[in-house]
Amino acid sequence: YFYEIFKHFDLKLRNRIIWRFNHGLHCKKRFSVRYEVILWFTKTDEYIFNLDPVRIPAKYPGKRHFKGPKRGQLSGNPLGKNPSDIWDVVKQDWEDEVWDIPNVKANHPEKTEHPCQFPVELVQRCVLALTQPKGVVLDPYCGVGSTVIGALQHNRRAIAAEQDSTYVAITRERIQKFTQGTLPLRPLGKPIHQPTGKERVAQLPLDWK
């Protein structure tokens, strides 16, 4: 739907980004959805793309060119590699190069009453890569303001719109808490808890044996 609208106005598709997460509603009549699609369009061929702030550690930082004029020279970048267009979005493990950004569920520190709230971490990567400091970030469907918070965190200005007065009030409250330094936020790159298998909830219930 949005793709056709953007193409109608001659916007140029640069990336179709897949954000994959591990938790959500369990469907009964179809496969459970565990991803969202982010479409990155630009108006012209002159656009902002800051790769360095969002690079992830390379799996083989010591890799070298094996042929050609650069044979023997390091082939990577000391800041890391391009995160690609599939985001397992929290840096769960540097060795696995994973930026695994979990979705906002009941025990997430950013959780509000919004049923499908986006995590601020997801916004941060877009803000850092696709805008400049002091630039403007627009979210016409801002929900509870995660985009606004992500923009403010990195010295960007934000413009937001939302028709639900309850969510507008929550957004204002979150902005106020952010400016006061009291807004609960999940730290960027915090590893996701991995069960050991010894937890009671991770074991097969006796009822099923």
Side-chain angles (χ1 to χ4, degrees):
Y1 177 74
F2 286 107
Y3 176 85
E4 296 300 329
I5 293 176
F6 295 154
K7 293 300 290 185
H8 174 75
F9 288 99
D10 295 324
L11 298 181
K12 302 175 184 295
L13 179 64
R14 300 297 172 185
N15 272 122
R16 180 180 284 103
I17 301 163
I18 305 299
W19 168 39
R20 187 184 71 85
F21 44 86
N22 294 317
H23 299 280
L25 295 176
H26 297 285
C27 299
K28 295 183 178 180
K29 295 186 177 181
R30 60 187 174 91
F31 292 112
S32 298
V33 177
R34 292 294 180 268
Y35 75 94
E36 295 272 4
V37 178
I38 301 170
L39 299 179
W40 172 30
F41 282 86
T42 67
K43 293 176 64 176
T44 69
D45 290 333
E46 298 293 327
Y47 59 90
I48 296 169
F49 181 59
N50 302 315
L51 178 58
D52 285 351
V54 296
R55 287 182 182 274
I56 62 176
K59 189 171 185 178
Y60 302 109
K63 187 177 180 181
R64 297 176 182 272
H65 292 282
F66 66 95
K67 63 180 180 180
K70 294 185 178 181
R71 178 184 173 87
Q73 297 180 30
L74 291 170
S75 60
N77 187 297
L79 296 178
K81 59 182 270 187
N82 189 312
S84 86
D85 59 358
I86 298 181
W87 298 355
D88 263 335
V89 183
V90 161
K91 288 180 292 184
Q92 178 180 338
D93 189 329
W94 286 114
E95 186 68 21
D96 292 337
E97 315 152 19
V98 175
W99 276 47
D100 189 3
I101 301 173
N103 54 332
V104 179
K105 48 191 182 297
N107 60 349
H108 196 289
E110 298 169 16
K111 180 62 179 170
T112 69
E113 61 184 76
H114 197 290
C116 50
Q117 179 180 341
F118 278 6
V120 174
E121 279 184 272
L122 183 64
V123 178
Q124 286 180 300
R125 179 177 284 185
C126 297
V127 166
L128 288 169
L130 309 181
T131 68
Q132 299 285 39
K134 298 184 179 180
V136 178
V137 176
L138 167 66
D139 188 347
Y141 310 99
C142 81
V144 290
S146 294
T147 298
V148 177
I149 300 302
L152 295 177
Q153 279 183 307
H154 297 287
N155 193 28
R156 272 69 166 176
R157 293 171 291 169
I159 300 174
E162 173 57 52
Q163 66 177 0
D164 190 307
S165 59
T166 299
Y167 297 157
V168 171
I170 293 174
T171 296
R172 287 174 172 165
E173 181 182 8
R174 295 182 79 199
I175 293 173
Q176 183 178 23
K177 287 183 177 180
F178 174 77
T179 58
Q180 296 171 345
T182 60
L183 180 67
L185 290 169
R186 187 180 192 281
L188 181 64
K190 178 182 177 180
I192 291 181
H193 171 71
Q194 296 296 321
T196 63
K198 297 180 180 180
E199 299 89 344
R200 185 173 181 179
V201 71
Q203 297 177 8
L204 189 66
L206 294 176
D207 312 54
W208 292 359
K209 293 182 179 180

